[in-house]
Amino acid sequence: MPTLDVTRFPRLPLLALPTPIEPLDGLTAHLGAALNGVRIFVKRDDVAGIGLGGNKLRKLEYLLGAAKSAGADTAITVGAIQSNHARLTAAATARAGLACELFLTRSVPRQDPDYTGNGNRLLDDLFGATVHELPGEADSLAAAEARADALRAQGRTVYTFPSGGSSPTGCLGYANCAAEILAQADELGVTFAQIVTANGSAGTHAGLVAGLAAMGLDPRLAKSFAVLAEEERARAEVLEKANATLALIGTEQRVSPEDINLDGGHRGPGYGIPTAGMLEAVRLMARTEGKLLDPVYSGKAFAGLLHDVRAGLYPAGSAVLFLMTGGTPGIFAYKDALAG
C-alpha cells in the first residue's frame, strides 16, 4: 500500500488519530432506492477533544508545531465572524500556552445577534482570544501582519496563519490524512470511489490532492464542493496550494488543472448564505444519523454529494467517503434558517 512520511515536520498533537470512519446506515435506510445502491461513509474529523473539533485541527497541528519549534509566544490568524478556523486557533493556542489574536471580517451580510455574537464568535471570547472585528471589504491579513510587526517591535515572537490555516505547512495535515484514509480503507476492506469534502480556503482539498499525488495515486480521487470562492478561483487555489505542498514535502511530483476535481454548483448565491440543498442535507443527517453538518461548509458539500449519488454519478455497490469537517458551533448562528 502507498505510504507518505511527513514525520520530519514539527507537529503539535491536537486530536487522536486516526479519526473514525463510519457507514451512514440510518441515512441509507431512509433514502433507500434513491441512493442507487451506493454506500456512503463518513470520516469523523468533526470529533475531537479540543474546541468542539473540526478539520482545522489537522492543519493547526503542523502550524502550531512550526510556531512552537520557533519559540513563538503569539499566534495571529484571520477569518470571517463565524470562522471555524479562528475558533479552533483560539482553542488550540489556549492548549499550547500561546497568546492568540483574531482579525475577523464581516463577510456575510448579517447583523443579527445570532450571527454576530453566538456560535463560533461566542467561543472565540471564551477561549481567551483577543478579537479585532473589521468591515467585510477589509484586508484582514494585512491588518494581522501589521499587528504582528507591532508585537515583534515589543519583543514578542509572533506567527501569523492565513485564512483557514491553508498554507503549505497547514496542508500537510490533509496530505497525511490521505494516507490515513487509505490505511483505514484497507483495514475495512473498502475501496472508496471518491473522497468528498467542502472547499473554503482550499487547504483541505489541496492537502488531499498533494497526499494522493505524492503517493503516486490519482489526485482526482479527492473531490470538493466550493462554498467560498466561485469555481474557477477555487480550482486555481487548490492547484496552487497542492503544488506548494508537494514542493514542501520534497517530491518532484506536481499536479495539473485537470487533476483538480471540484464542483462549484452548490455554493448558492454566496458564502454563508443558506441554500435549499444545504437545509435538506443538514436536517437529513441530523434526523437519520444524529450527526451534525454545519450550514456553511459541510452542509453544502453533503448536498452536492447527495445530488451526485441521486443523479447516478457512482455505480451501484460503490462506496463514497464524505469528510465531516466539523463547524458545529455555526449551527447556532443559523437558528432561524434551520428551524422547521
Side-chain angles (χ1 to χ4, degrees):
M1 189 185 73
T3 59
L4 177 68
D5 184 4
V6 293
T7 56
R8 70 183 184 279
F9 296 99
R11 172 176 167 260
L12 180 70
L14 295 172
L15 67 169
L17 299 177
T19 57
I21 290 179
E22 303 168 357
L24 294 182
D25 293 333
L27 181 140
T28 298
H30 178 79
L31 291 180
L35 291 182
N36 299 314
V38 176
R39 295 176 295 159
I40 304 177
F41 293 75
V42 289
K43 177 131 174 89
R44 301 297 307 277
D45 275 16
D46 59 316
V47 178
I50 295 176
L52 294 182
N55 64 322
K56 311 304 182 183
L57 287 175
R58 285 192 189 264
K59 302 176 185 180
L60 285 163
E61 286 194 326
Y62 289 93
L63 291 166
L64 286 173
K68 289 281 284 186
S69 68
D73 54 52
T74 304
I76 301 179
T77 196
V78 301
I81 291 292
Q82 284 294 331
S83 168
N84 296 302
H85 167 64
R87 177 249 310 171
L88 284 172
T89 300
T93 51
R95 169 72 174 271
L98 276 67
C100 179
E101 298 200 17
L102 307 174
F103 284 76
L104 306 181
T105 53
R106 303 181 188 96
S107 304
V108 176
R110 286 180 54 185
Q111 299 299 327
D112 56 286
D114 281 341
Y115 191 81
T116 60
N118 205 343
N120 287 304
R121 184 62 191 85
L122 171 66
L123 295 178
D124 297 336
D125 291 335
L126 189 59
F127 292 133
T130 298
V131 177
H132 310 268
E133 293 193 12
L134 305 172
E137 68 278 6
D139 186 338
S140 57
L141 190 56
E145 292 289 3
R147 174 62 175 163
D149 288 342
L151 290 174
R152 291 180 187 119
Q154 298 171 18
R156 304 269 288 276
T157 303
V158 185
Y159 260 62
T160 58
F161 306 150
S163 176
S166 295
S167 67
T169 298
C171 291
L172 289 172
Y174 275 93
N176 196 44
C177 183
E180 179 179 304
I181 289 169
L182 293 177
Q184 288 177 289
D186 188 59
E187 292 174 5
L188 292 168
V190 176
T191 299
F192 291 117
Q194 200 83 81
I195 302 168
V196 178
T197 189
N199 187 321
S201 59
T204 299
H205 189 188
L208 292 171
V209 166
L212 292 167
M215 291 184 289
L217 301 172
D218 184 359
R220 291 184 60 81
L221 176 62
K223 177 176 182 176
S224 71
F225 288 91
V227 302
L228 176 57
E230 293 184 354
E231 183 170 330
E232 183 177 349
R233 179 182 166 195
R235 190 182 304 278
E237 289 182 353
V238 174
L239 178 65
E240 178 186 1
K241 290 175 182 179
N243 280 326
T245 305
L246 284 165
L248 180 62
I249 291 170
T251 177
E252 295 182 359
Q253 180 70 38
R254 295 293 183 270
V255 292
S256 65
E258 294 73 26
D259 294 321
I260 308 305
N261 190 354
L262 184 145
D263 187 331
H266 296 270
R267 174 176 173 266
Y271 173 74
I273 300 176
T275 64
M278 176 277 288
L279 294 171
E280 184 213 8
V282 172
R283 291 169 182 154
L284 188 62
M285 184 72 85
R287 295 171 185 179
T288 63
E289 294 288 342
K291 296 178 174 67
L292 297 174
L293 299 171
D294 82 284
V296 178
Y297 295 92
S298 58
K300 289 185 178 181
F302 197 72
L305 172 56
L306 287 176
H307 172 273
D308 287 352
V309 172
R310 288 163 169 165
L313 186 65
Y314 303 107
S318 60
V320 178
L321 180 65
F322 182 75
L323 187 58
M324 289 189 67
T325 52
T328 302
I331 289 174
F332 304 104
Y334 284 79
K335 179 183 68 174
D336 290 344
L338 292 167

